[in-house]
Amino acid sequence: MHIATWNVNSIRARLDHLLAWLGQHPELDVVCLQETKVTDPEFPVVAIADLGWHCAFYGQKTYNGVAILSRRPLEAISPGFRSVLGAMPGTEVDAWDEQKRLLGATIDGYRILNLYVPNGSAVGSEKYAYKLAWLDLLHKYLQQLDIQSQPWVVVGDFNVAFTDLDLHDPRDREQKIMATDAERQAWQRVLDLGFLDSFRLFTPEGGHYTWWDYRGGALRRNHGWRIDYILISQGLRERAIACTIDPLPRRWAGPSDHTPVILHLKNGEQEAAP
DNA sequence: ATGGCGAGAGGATCTCGA
């Protein structure tokens, strides 16, 4: 099982890159996308189906939007917080689901959760408060579920650098978004539910990034951040073989500012032998 | 300190991202 995540920054603008990348990676089983920026009727199902992929998508005009592509059919597709938190009084789930940032599906017995975490704009802003509250809601969402009952893979653009190894320059990190203590603590509470950062199981050193600003020659100077992650539930640790960042799409002409991350898992018992 | 680049909306020049 090979699962990837990629913030494409508009699936319309990046369709050629996506299709080319899928063509170059026949090993992939599941690809989770963020910032598709299209409504569901606008999602390019045909172009993707032509390459042999099923897909589930949950989008809106201009902003946000998430999608899951899969070689095999997707089951138990659950868009937004609603499916899990809808019954909880006082959570105002409908308001939280106005921004399309969360999509779940089950594929081959793996529960996949694809996230596009709010950016937060600037420390102390309304959007920053929204980001922290959104992460609290994600914690509530995952708390409702039995993480031990089936293999869980939580992926996406998390918009937080977990540690100082995950950004090129950690100085003054409390003054800018993505590496403040509050953001890290909000994510730590989620991890403490029983998730592992699969990339760090294999790569202890810093200097590995998934996002480089378009501005200021950030890519050329390798001024990057690792903000795209693939988390696995504890039970999957023994099946994890590797988690790698593919730096190539970020170097193509007209790129997304993010580059994909891929998790390699050994086949479990519930999967048929090839 | 600010903007720097790119996408979308809309039809010039905004907002937003991270």
Side-chain angles (χ1 to χ4, degrees):
Chain A
M1 188 74 164
H2 293 71
I3 300 168
T5 181
W6 190 11
N7 179 327
V8 291
N9 184 17
S10 168
I11 194 163
R12 260 196 298 251
R14 224 67 60 205
L15 187 58
D16 289 349
H17 281 201
L18 174 64
L19 298 178
W21 192 71
L22 293 177
Q24 292 171 8
H25 290 272
E27 81 282 10
L28 293 174
D29 298 290
V30 177
V31 176
C32 296
L33 306 175
Q34 303 85 33
E35 280 205 270
T36 54
K37 298 187 178 179
V38 290
T39 60
D40 293 346
E42 308 285 331
F43 194 86
V45 262
V46 175
I48 291 168
D50 280 349
L51 294 187
W53 294 83
H54 302 266
C55 48
F57 36 86
Y58 184 49
Q60 66 186 92
K61 191 176 164 182
T62 313
Y63 303 116
N64 311 315
V66 281
I68 304 176
L69 317 187
S70 171
R71 301 274 188 194
R72 305 219 207 162
L74 301 102
E75 303 162 70
I77 296 164
S78 54
F81 290 108
R82 162 146 294 281
S83 60
V84 171
L85 295 178
M88 280 184 77
T91 29
E92 296 170 359
V93 173
D94 285 343
W96 286 103
D97 279 341
E98 281 171 18
Q99 299 188 20
K100 313 305 184 194
R101 296 180 175 277
L102 182 149
L103 179 62
T106 299
I107 299 158
D108 283 339
Y110 292 92
R111 187 63 189 164
I112 311 287
L113 190 63
N114 181 18
L115 308 177
Y116 174 49
V117 176
N119 160 293
S121 186
V123 175
S125 67
E126 242 175 69
K127 287 177 184 171
Y128 181 76
Y130 182 89
K131 178 181 193 173
L132 296 177
W134 194 95
L135 289 170
D136 278 346
L137 196 68
L138 174 66
H139 180 263
K140 271 203 190 73
Y141 175 101
L142 290 167
Q143 232 177 0
Q144 300 306 308
L145 300 159
D146 185 3
I147 306 304
Q148 272 72 47
S149 69
Q150 79 182 121
W152 273 79
V153 181
V154 178
V155 317
D157 176 356
F158 290 4
N159 267 323
V160 174
F162 283 175
T163 76
D164 287 353
L165 295 176
D166 299 318
L167 68 164
H168 71 278
D169 182 6
R171 288 175 297 177
D172 300 326
R173 62 178 180 80
E174 283 298 323
Q175 275 66 58
K176 47 197 179 183
I177 54 162
M178 296 204 293
T180 63
D181 286 343
E183 289 163 280
R184 287 178 174 178
Q185 285 159 9
W187 258 115
Q188 190 59 50
R189 286 191 286 273
V190 174
L191 292 168
D192 286 346
L193 294 171
F195 295 104
L196 302 167
D197 173 3
S198 62
F199 183 81
R200 282 287 173 239
L201 296 178
F202 306 100
T203 309
E205 78 280 2
H208 299 276
Y209 308 125
T210 65
W211 175 82
W212 297 262
D213 202 310
Y214 286 124
R215 301 165 292 186
L219 180 64
R220 177 173 44 79
R221 300 152 69 157
N222 198 24
H223 286 185
W225 297 62
R226 192 173 73 96
I227 55 176
D228 300 86
Y229 294 80
I230 301 182
L231 309 183
I232 55 175
S233 50
Q234 304 274 0
L236 280 179
R237 181 197 279 262
E238 296 309 313
R239 275 192 232 168
I241 297 167
C243 179
T244 55
I245 297 167
D246 178 1
L248 298 179
R250 182 63 180 83
R251 298 184 198 137
W252 294 349
S256 167
D257 43 358
H258 295 252
T259 212
V261 182
I262 304 172
L263 170 69
H264 311 240
L265 292 170
K266 263 189 295 207
N267 281 353
E269 291 76 22
Q270 86 280 12
E271 290 179 85

